[in-house]
């Protein structure tokens, strides 16, 4: 990943885990979320993702390069919560809502089968999955065969697989893969005549919340020492990245494949419910054992609103 001593090249050498970038382009200041119609046959996508393909899907972080950063704060609006510790990374042995709403994401990218993580959130259409931007689109190309497997466990998909009818991302991720806005969403098709959150339930989601609070994060890391077979979590105090982004940071050793997994405020271990405020995005190569996730500000809220109205 070495390049000449440009800012982008230096960043490429420093950052790992999440998708990485292109030459920086000015992010649109007031553009809306970017929408992509998947235009797929839901039954064909369901048939494509056999247990063998799911097990062999490559963590997306193994297929990408290094990111573009804009070290400035993200747009912030009115505090909004839509309702519905420390652990450095271990299997979630509890129960509750999170074992149904969190799941593994599978898609095809550049001819390779890959995986991320995602979470079902409350929405007016009952069909929204929140994930990372690089888990829906990378370097100008939208991923195909996109599907969500809530409650995934070692090849088992107890709640089925839900093919996306459309995927969306922020205008900043679309324009320059700005890591401050590495947020994506999918609107999934009904399955057997039912909507996603009618089957698995939904977590709350919040925007423009105070920083530096205690949080929980979940995902399906699939790179060593993990294998993508089970739901892993971290918990503890968070801080604001003081290096190259304004992301949330947390002590956490999750690896590739966890990208797109939810970060929760007010998470209850008893009920498995919380309020989602970020997603797993990236880690610095020189700072192992830490995970970073974008701040859910105004642009994340606009993305959510467009997804739930789709």
């Amino acid at each position: 990943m070495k390049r000449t001593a440009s800012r982008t090249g230096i960043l490429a050498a420093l950052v790992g885990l999440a998708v990485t970038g292109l030459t920086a382009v000015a992010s649109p200041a007031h553009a809306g979320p970017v929408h992509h119609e998947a235009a797929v046959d839901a039954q064909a996508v369901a048939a494509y993702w056999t247990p063998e393909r799911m097990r062999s899907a490559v963590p997306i972080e193994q297929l990408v390069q290094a990111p573009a950063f804009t070290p400035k704060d993200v747009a912030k609006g009115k505090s909004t919560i839509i309702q519905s510790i420390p652990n450095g990374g271990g299997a979630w042995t509890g129960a509750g809502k999170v074992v149904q709403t969190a799941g593994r994401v599978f898609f095809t990218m550049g001819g390779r089968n890959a995986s991320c993580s995602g979470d079902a959130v409350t929405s007016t259409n009952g069909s929204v999955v929140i994930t990372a931007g690089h888990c829906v689109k990378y370097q100008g190309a939208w991923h195909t065969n996109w599907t969500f497997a809530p409650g995934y466990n070692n090849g088992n998909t107890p709640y089925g697989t839900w093919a996306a009818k459309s995927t969306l991302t922020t205008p900043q991720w679309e324009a320059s893969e700005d890591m401050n806005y590495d947020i994506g969403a999918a609107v999934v098709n009904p399955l057997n005549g039912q909507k996603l959150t009618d089957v698995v339930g939904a977590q709350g989601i919040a925007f423009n919340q105070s920083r530096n609070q205690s949080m929980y994060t979940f995902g399906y890391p699939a790179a060593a020492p993990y294998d993508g077979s089970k739901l892993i979590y971290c918990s503890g105090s968070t801080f604001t990245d003081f290096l190259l982004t304004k992301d949330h940071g947390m002590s956490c050793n999750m690896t590739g494949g966890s990208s797109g997994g939810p970060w929760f405020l007010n998470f209850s271990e008893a009920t498995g419910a919380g309020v989602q405020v970020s997603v797993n995005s990236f880690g610095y190569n020189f700072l192992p054992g830490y995970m970073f996730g974008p701040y859910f500000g105004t642009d994340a809220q606009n993305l959510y609103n467009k997804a739930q109205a789709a």
Side-chain angles (χ1 to χ4, degrees), residues 84-165:
S84 181
I85 86 186
N87 178 71
W92 177 252
T93 57
K97 186 180 286 188
V98 72
V99 301
Q100 298 177 195
T101 65
R104 209 165 170 199
V105 170
F106 299 96
F107 49 87
T108 302
M109 170 183 156
R112 300 282 302 276
N113 291 333
S115 69
C116 278
S117 301
D119 185 53
V121 298
T122 185
S123 60
T124 55
N125 60 18
S127 304
V128 174
V129 177
I130 297 295
T131 187
H134 67 268
C135 295
V136 297
K137 187 177 189 293
Y138 178 62
Q139 291 192 342
W142 294 92
H143 307 328
T144 60
N145 292 320
W146 203 102
T147 196
F148 178 58
Y152 180 90
N153 185 5
N154 196 27
N156 298 311
T157 54
Y159 305 104
T161 55
W162 300 73
K165 66 178 180 180

Side-chain angles (χ1 to χ4, degrees), residues 1-4 6-16 20 65-67 69 244 283-287:
M1 296 193 298
K2 290 185 178 178
R3 302 181 186 175
T4 57
S6 66
R7 182 170 179 272
T8 302
I10 293 170
L11 293 174
L14 296 180
V15 181
T20 54
Q65 307 168 30
F69 285 90
L244 301 177
Y284 290 106
N285 290 333
F286 65 89
L287 193 64

Side-chain angles (χ1 to χ4, degrees), residues 35 82 121-130 165-166 168 185-187 195 205 207 301-310:
H35 181 269
I82 303 165
V121 298
T122 185
S123 60
T124 55
N125 60 18
S127 304
V128 174
V129 177
I130 297 295
K165 66 178 180 180
S166 62
L168 307 87
V187 181
K195 295 180 178 180
I205 188 168
F207 307 94
Q301 188 170 6
N302 290 340
L303 172 67
Y304 166 76
N305 285 336
K306 185 167 184 178
Q308 72 166 342

